[in-house]
Amino acid sequence: MLGMCRGRRKFLAASLALVFIPALTWLYLSSANFTVKPLPLSPLQLQSSSLIGVPGEHQALELRLRDVEERHHAMQRELSPLSRVPTHSSHHGIGRQGKQLHTHSTEEGTGDSEAKKRVAVGNSSDCVPQPVVNKCETIHIAIVCAGYNASRDVVTLVKSVLFHRRNPLHFHFITDSIARKILSDLFHTWMVPAVHINFYDADELKSEVSWIPNKHYSGIYGLMKLVLTKTLPSDLQKVIVLDTDITFATDIAELWVVFHKFKGQQVLGLVENQSDWYLGNLWKNHRPWPALGRGFNTGVILLLLDRLRKLKWEQMWRLTAERELMSMLSTSLADQDIFNAVIKQNPFLVHQLPCFWNVQLSDHTRSEKCYKDVSDLKVIHWNSPKKLHVKNKHVEFFRNLYLTFLEYDGNLLRRELFGCPSETDHNSENLQKTLSELDEDDPCYEFRRERFTVHRTHVYFLHYEYEPTADNTDVTLVAQLSMDRLQMLEAICKHWEGPISLVLYLSDAEAQQFLRYAQGSEVLMSRSNVGYHIVYKEGQFYPVNLLRNVAMGQVNTPFMFLSDIDFLPMYGLYEYLRKSVVQLDMANSKKALVVPAFETLRYRLSFPKSKAELLSQLDMGSLFTFRYHVWTKGHAPTDFAKWRTATTPYRVQWEADFEPYVMVRRKSPEYDRRFVGFGWNKVAHIMELDAQEYEFVVLPNAYMIHMPHAPSFDITKFRSNKQYRACLKTLKEEFQQNMSRRYGFAALKYMTVDNNS
């Protein structure tokens, strides 16, 4: 349509030039008193000339000029609406292509033809000015999201929307407690400007739809779009409702503007269903819910909430559902069945959208009729449990589009929307103020800045299900890792049967590699008590203590064992630590239980199954006390000589640079974030435990073994970069001074000890 309008404008402009320019020329010549040949007059002009009784060349020219001017003004009036039509492609929701595509989707449908004639298509006539979305208008989006998998899937949808958007966005998430926790943490740490989030408790809505039997895999949450008029704020007038398996290929503002095309009593914007489901011919005795022809798909819905409320939508869909359930007994496609049954009775409610607003990629669909070119695509809907394995001749293109957003660096979406007033986020404002106070000329500026960097965080990236034991002795193993330590996961799961809280420091693309790795591992998939939390990469340092803090923050047991990913705990350590909780009265005392650390230089080790076997390997030289040859001070206070013969727990004193692996209560001090990469990250934590008067108690029958691996990038920087070591020394001194101020006289010893790590 835009091309046609532009063509008409060019034609009118050319016509104007051909007529108006000669007229001006004649006016110029006549005013200069040149002798000119008279112009032939039209019959109307001759009649006018004779009426006014003024014959002659000048009078004829005046009449011709007046005629041209009138035609010129008429052209201006016709052209003026066109000048207001935006030329940017993002504001044209339905063009000529859209009209043709819609014709495909309606004319080939069967049944209810008369009723479907009453459903407005929403196509406007050529060259009618298209409505636009104001630059700073907020677009509201509602999504029902429940559980771990849906919370992960919805991130790809959000990325695709953020990538194209030019307007402020307001997401309304209807979630269970799991999804709320995940998405709340994610958006809080994502810190995307001009994006607002609201959560609505799906558990409170279950009673509204739980009476409807539903066979769809979405379960009860697949029915909750029906109650959005009741759930969303009463002053919210319109909203775009999306399934979690949607990918946008254009600015969502193009869809938002379609609301302006609604007429009469239209309150629902929907795309025709592209499968034959509602035609009832997929198999023998197939009996779907009633629908207009092919029916409508509810993966993308435009809801005019204010009008729906006035039409008493709640009563309308409930009565329809009750009536149909008497014969259908249950829904097969959740809310979609009920929406279609309502529309069957009230076709005037629907504004039919062109099908490129919901290209449905499941088997047995006609989605290929929705587009002729890549530029036609608007929204891709992976509405099949098989997702990326559907039958479609262009599935490779769609898969690549989906994977692009799946692995896209979400940090790049934190761009500002300039020119729009935004509410100031106090956390963001305080962060910017803190960063502005840092001295950029300080040689340790990057170290100091890292302490305040907010890393995007996705907790519970995979399914997690665990209830702590009722005896209050339960303990969670805490560790962090990056992609190069992924191979340790299966071994740790075999050595530790209790709950685990793991944080992985990954890019978006690496997170998908980890997902494939985990889902392909029988060992990992057999465990539901391992919480995997993703902290996304940002900056030049490895934020080791931030990762540990995130892992500690997701522990739901009374105690936690603070370990590292390259250590394998002894078999049975989980139960041994639980028994020690009772034996040492951990619930009523401040103790840090030390698990002695050893190491091997062999990649293949016959892991000792008892203390006696470990001592034998220690004597044979296949095992060593941890870091005895490069950093003795780190574990010397454990007193390995005493441990060899000990049969009961024994207390040791804190010493400089002590960094044992300990079990502590869940509510223990966090790690200090100023220490990144290699150096002093655990030392500072143990120092703070000592300052808070924790007792260090060594367990006589516990042990863990460090497995060999290539040196990390951070230890290489520490060893090779003089400035790195100098900054670490500066940060140590500042930490000790802070300790002295916080803990007073008791912390003076930290100022005087010789710390040369």
Side-chain angles (χ1 to χ4, degrees):
M1 182 179 71
L2 182 58
M4 183 181 293
C5 291
R6 286 174 176 168
R8 180 178 294 179
R9 292 175 66 181
K10 291 178 180 178
F11 173 76
L12 291 174
S15 302
L16 178 63
L18 289 173
V19 175
F20 194 51
I21 292 175
L24 291 176
T25 304
W26 279 110
L27 180 63
Y28 172 79
L29 292 174
S30 63
S31 63
N33 295 318
F34 283 100
T35 303
V36 296
K37 187 177 179 179
L39 288 171
L41 300 179
S42 66
L44 178 63
Q45 291 168 328
L46 288 171
Q47 182 181 6
S48 301
S49 177
S50 63
L51 287 174
I52 58 176
V54 187
E57 297 174 348
H58 292 288
Q59 289 77 12
L61 182 59
E62 288 177 1
L63 289 172
R64 182 66 179 269
L65 181 58
R66 189 179 303 120
D67 179 59
V68 169
E69 288 177 336
E70 289 177 357
R71 291 169 62 188
H72 171 63
H73 290 310
M75 289 178 187
Q76 282 187 320
R77 287 193 296 272
E78 185 175 358
L79 285 171
S80 58
L82 292 174
S83 65
R84 296 193 296 270
V85 177
T87 58
H88 196 286
S89 60
S90 67
H91 295 309
H92 291 270
I94 302 176
R96 173 187 283 181
Q97 185 81 32
K99 288 181 66 179
Q100 294 171 348
L101 293 174
H102 170 75
T103 302
H104 280 298
S105 65
T106 55
E107 291 179 357
E108 296 179 17
T110 60
D112 302 292
S113 58
E114 289 304 316
K116 293 201 72 172
K117 288 179 182 178
R118 290 179 283 161
V119 181
V121 178
N123 294 322
S124 55
S125 60
D126 290 342
C127 300
V128 172
Q130 299 294 301
V132 297
V133 177
N134 294 331
K135 177 181 178 182
C136 299
E137 181 178 351
T138 298
I139 296 172
H140 292 266
I141 305 164
I143 303 172
V144 178
C145 181
Y148 301 95
N149 293 339
S151 300
R152 189 175 63 246
D153 293 340
V154 79
V155 176
T156 307
L157 160 61
V158 171
K159 281 183 181 179
S160 70
V161 173
L162 291 175
F163 180 84
H164 297 286
R165 67 102 177 217
R166 294 181 178 86
N167 286 74
L169 301 175
H170 193 143
F171 288 97
H172 301 265
F173 287 106
I174 295 85
T175 63
D176 61 355
S177 58
I178 294 166
R180 176 163 188 163
K181 165 65 178 171
I182 295 170
L183 296 177
S184 177
D185 286 358
L186 176 64
F187 280 99
H188 177 72
T189 54
W190 203 341
M191 299 181 70
V192 183
V195 170
H196 298 275
I197 310 293
N198 277 107
F199 292 99
Y200 308 86
D201 190 352
D203 291 333
E204 294 181 358
L205 303 174
K206 285 183 177 179
S207 61
E208 302 284 340
V209 293
S210 58
W211 56 275
I212 305 173
N214 179 28
K215 294 180 181 178
H216 194 256
Y217 60 82
S218 60
I220 193 170
Y221 299 102
L223 296 162
M224 289 190 175
K225 292 184 216 169
L226 294 166
V227 296
L228 289 180
T229 53
K230 187 175 182 179
T231 306
L232 298 177
S234 59
D235 59 346
L236 182 59
Q237 296 183 347
K238 56 187 177 181
V239 67
I240 297 173
V241 187
L242 303 173
D243 279 354
T244 58
D245 54 356
I246 293 288
T247 304
F248 267 77
T250 192
D251 189 347
I252 196 171
E254 292 184 44
L255 183 56
W256 185 256
V257 79
V258 177
F259 276 114
H260 294 295
K261 299 176 183 290
F262 281 35
K263 298 177 181 178
Q265 290 184 291
Q266 293 173 353
V267 291
L268 303 170
L270 291 163
V271 169
E272 185 180 53
N273 203 44
Q274 290 156 26
S275 78
D276 293 340
W277 178 268
Y278 288 109
L279 300 181
N281 57 7
L282 293 184
W283 59 79
K284 188 177 180 181
N285 299 325
H286 174 217
R287 185 166 171 252
W289 276 55
L292 285 179
R294 311 191 73 86
F296 296 92
N297 185 277
T298 55
V300 177
I301 315 175
L302 301 187
L303 287 185
L304 271 181
L305 295 169
D306 52 348
R307 291 189 193 174
L308 276 168
R309 294 181 182 114
K310 291 177 182 177
L311 290 173
K312 298 183 178 180
W313 167 253
E314 288 282 324
Q315 181 179 351
M316 187 183 296
W317 74 258
R318 283 177 180 274
L319 290 174
T320 302
E322 289 171 357
R323 181 182 67 249
E324 297 300 333
L325 284 170
M326 293 178 67
S327 59
M328 298 303 299
L329 304 181
S330 68
T331 59
S332 296
L333 300 182
D335 66 87
Q336 185 166 297
D337 284 339
I338 298 176
F339 269 101
N340 275 290
V342 173
I343 293 168
K344 170 81 171 179
Q345 297 297 317
N346 308 278
F348 58 85
L349 297 176
V350 179
H351 177 94
Q352 185 169 330
L353 304 175
C355 64
F356 51 64
W357 282 118
N358 187 351
V359 179
Q360 300 149 38
L361 295 184
S362 59
D363 289 343
H364 312 297
T365 69
R366 308 182 312 152
S367 59
E368 295 171 16
K369 296 181 180 295
C370 287
Y371 54 90
K372 292 182 179 179
D373 193 79
V374 172
S375 60
D376 298 332
L377 296 170
K378 303 291 186 184
V379 172
I380 315 302
H381 184 188
W382 304 88
N383 59 327
S384 166
K386 294 188 296 182
K387 303 299 179 187
L388 301 180
H389 304 289
V390 297
K391 296 177 183 178
N392 182 291
K393 66 182 181 181
H394 301 117
V395 72
E396 281 299 322
F397 170 79
F398 293 120
R399 184 184 292 114
N400 291 335
L401 177 68
Y402 173 77
L403 293 176
T404 295
F405 290 114
L406 188 71
E407 301 183 355
Y408 189 82
D409 184 354
N411 298 329
L412 301 178
L413 298 169
R414 288 170 166 166
R415 58 180 183 267
E416 295 280 352
L417 290 183
F418 294 104
C420 294
S422 60
E423 297 178 11
T424 303
D425 180 86
H426 293 297
N427 293 329
S428 178
E429 188 179 58
N430 292 337
L431 175 61
Q432 294 303 319
K433 181 181 179 182
T434 301
L435 293 176
S436 67
E437 293 173 352
L438 297 178
D439 181 6
E440 295 188 20
D441 295 327
D442 182 351
C444 302
Y445 169 77
E446 294 298 335
F447 282 85
R448 301 188 192 284
R449 180 183 174 83
E450 174 57 39
R451 181 181 181 183
F452 303 105
T453 298
V454 179
H455 289 262
R456 184 166 41 103
T457 302
H458 187 140
V459 297
Y460 300 107
F461 194 69
L462 296 177
H463 180 81
Y464 178 81
E465 189 174 349
Y466 183 74
E467 286 294 330
T469 59
D471 58 5
N472 291 321
T473 65
D474 216 345
V475 54
T476 299
L477 185 148
V478 171
Q480 48 75 35
L481 68 151
S482 53
M483 201 67 182
D484 58 342
R485 301 286 187 267
L486 207 57
Q487 72 280 0
M488 292 295 298
L489 292 182
E490 289 189 347
I492 285 180
C493 286
K494 292 176 180 177
H495 279 250
W496 178 275
E497 65 270 27
I500 304 175
S501 181
L502 291 174
V503 168
L504 299 94
Y505 189 58
L506 306 173
S507 67
D508 292 76
E510 288 174 339
Q512 297 310 312
Q513 294 176 37
F514 159 69
L515 178 62
R516 292 190 289 271
Y517 171 82
Q519 292 177 337
S521 167
E522 291 184 10
V523 174
L524 301 187
M525 286 296 96
S526 66
R527 296 284 295 272
S528 61
N529 63 346
V530 180
Y532 300 97
H533 318 294
I534 309 295
V535 170
Y536 288 99
K537 287 183 176 179
E538 186 170 3
Q540 60 176 308
F541 295 105
Y542 187 84
V544 58
N545 280 355
L546 166 66
L547 305 182
R548 288 172 172 146
N549 291 341
V550 171
M552 289 167 59
Q554 305 311 316
V555 169
N556 66 345
T557 57
F559 300 95
M560 52 190 181
F561 173 44
L562 307 178
S563 183
D564 271 337
I565 198 66
D566 45 10
F567 275 88
L568 289 180
M570 74 176 200
Y571 292 108
L573 181 60
Y574 170 62
E575 289 297 334
Y576 181 43
L577 291 178
R578 289 183 58 192
K579 291 176 181 177
S580 299
V581 168
V582 178
Q583 181 184 355
L584 297 171
D585 192 25
M586 289 283 289
N588 300 305
S589 59
K590 294 176 70 173
K591 291 187 177 72
L593 304 188
V594 177
V595 177
F598 300 86
E599 69 176 330
T600 180
L601 302 180
R602 300 179 180 179
Y603 282 88
R604 292 188 177 183
L605 173 73
S606 177
F607 200 91
K609 296 179 174 59
S610 65
K611 179 178 179 178
E613 193 174 330
L614 180 139
L615 291 175
S616 175
Q617 294 185 11
L618 199 61
D619 293 337
M620 292 173 61
S622 56
L623 284 180
F624 308 92
T625 56
F626 185 55
R627 292 291 185 261
Y628 82 99
H629 56 303
V630 293
W631 186 240
T632 307
K633 298 171 68 174
H635 293 265
T638 301
D639 195 349
F640 289 99
K642 184 174 182 177
W643 183 82
R644 291 181 68 101
T645 58
T647 57
T648 59
Y650 59 93
R651 183 178 177 182
V652 296
Q653 297 297 321
W654 175 87
E655 295 179 20
D657 300 309
F658 192 29
E659 52 177 1
Y661 293 93
V662 298
M663 184 186 81
V664 292
R665 294 185 295 191
R666 179 177 59 186
K667 295 182 179 179
S668 295
E670 289 189 334
Y671 288 82
D672 194 291
R673 280 198 60 187
R674 82 186 76 200
F675 298 106
V676 295
F678 177 81
W680 245 61
N681 46 72
K682 289 192 299 292
V683 171
H685 185 247
I686 294 298
M687 182 182 288
E688 186 146 8
L689 289 178
D690 182 66
Q692 294 191 11
E693 300 180 341
Y694 275 74
E695 295 180 25
F696 295 99
V697 178
V698 181
L699 298 174
N701 294 308
Y703 56 89
M704 59 196 299
I705 299 176
H706 179 263
M707 306 305 292
H709 55 74
S712 67
F713 178 66
D714 295 281
I715 196 171
T716 302
K717 282 199 297 186
F718 172 81
R719 291 170 177 170
S720 62
N721 191 321
K722 182 178 179 181
Q723 185 60 51
Y724 189 104
R725 296 193 298 274
C727 287
L728 179 58
K729 185 174 186 297
T730 300
L731 295 175
K732 284 166 49 181
E733 293 170 353
E734 292 175 357
F735 173 78
Q736 290 169 324
Q737 293 169 2
N738 291 346
M739 291 284 288
S740 179
R741 287 193 291 268
R742 290 172 61 192
Y743 297 104
F745 181 79
L748 288 178
K749 61 180 179 180
Y750 308 126
M751 299 290 293
T752 57
V753 294
D754 179 22
N755 294 313
N756 297 313
S757 57

